[in-house]
Structure formats: structure tokens, C-alpha cells
């Protein structure tokens, strides 16, 4: 099982992303809670869980689109057809794939 990358930084960067700076810690905590729930389910089903949050530093929502692993609520992209809110960017998908390949021993 693969968890969710937590795109929220430790501090906000309003107005670059459309959340009040004071809300960022709460949002970050909610994604962490969701990942903890996935870890509990994985453990109860005796399956492994890959932590794709490793390596997220410097790739959060406050970064330029060329550095983000996940898009914001209003994605910034030169191609709007490939930018979906709160989904991995190509960089993020590459990060997830590399995490999976490494875990499989490749």
C-alpha cells in the first residue's frame, strides 16, 4: 500500500496557495491522520506500507510548480489539462515510482 504525500508545508505561504497561513498546520495534521489510518489498515491486513512522504522537503505546495510534488487547489501549470488539484505532478509521480521501485529492490 502507498500512503498519501503530504503536500502541506510546516508554515503557510498565503497568497501563493489559497489557504490562510493559520490553517496550514491543521491541514498538514489531517493528511498525517489519514496516513496513520492507512498504516493501521495495512498492518491489520498484513501488507506493507510505503511512506512517500520521505523526500518531500522542498517539494511542498509553497514551491514553484517546477518543484512541487503535488498541485495546489488552483494548480499552476503551463498545461491545465495535466494539472489536477491535490494530485501528484509528474515530479511527484516520479518520486512515488522511485519509492516503490526502491522498496521492491529495483
Amino acid at each position: 500500500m502507498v500512503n498519501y504525500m503530504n503536500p502541506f508545508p510546516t508554515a503557510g505561504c498565503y497568497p501563493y496557495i489559497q489557504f490562510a497561513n493559520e490553517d496550514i498546520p491543521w491541514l498538514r495534521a489531517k493528511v498525517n491522520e489519514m496516513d496513520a489510518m492507512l498504516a493501521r489498515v495495512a498492518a491489520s491486513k498484513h501488507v506493507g506500507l510505503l511512506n512517500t512522504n520521505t523526500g518531500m522537503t522542498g517539494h511542498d505546495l509553497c514551491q514553484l510548480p517546477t518543484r512541487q510534488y503535488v498541485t495546489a487547489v488552483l494548480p499552476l501549470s503551463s498545461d491545465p489539462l495535466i494539472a489536477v488539484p491535490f494530485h501528484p505532478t509528474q515530479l511527484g509521480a516520479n518520486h512515488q515510482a522511485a519509492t516503490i521501485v526502491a522498496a521492491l529492490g529495483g
Side-chain angles (χ1 to χ4, degrees):
M1 184 181 291
V2 178
N3 71 351
Y4 286 90
M5 292 184 286
N6 195 332
F8 295 101
T10 54
C13 56
Y14 182 85
Y16 186 69
I17 59 173
Q18 297 72 40
F19 296 102
N21 290 339
E22 298 79 20
D23 292 337
I24 295 299
W26 183 85
L27 291 163
R28 183 175 177 79
K30 291 300 160 192
V31 175
N32 288 340
E33 287 175 23
M34 183 171 57
D35 282 343
M37 180 270 308
L38 290 173
R40 288 190 303 274
V41 170
S44 74
K45 301 298 180 185
H46 308 288
V47 298
L49 178 74
L50 295 178
N51 181 3
T52 56
N53 283 311
T54 302
M56 282 292 294
T57 302
H59 299 283
D60 57 64
L61 295 178
C62 289
Q63 306 306 312
L64 294 173
T66 56
R67 302 257 323 138
Q68 290 175 338
Y69 279 178
V70 177
T71 60
V73 68
L74 295 177
L76 300 174
S77 172
S78 59
D79 185 350
L81 297 177
I82 61 170
V84 180
F86 297 111
H87 281 74
T89 62
Q90 185 63 58
L91 286 175
N94 292 348
H95 168 71
Q96 286 178 311
T99 302
I100 293 166
V101 168
L104 295 174

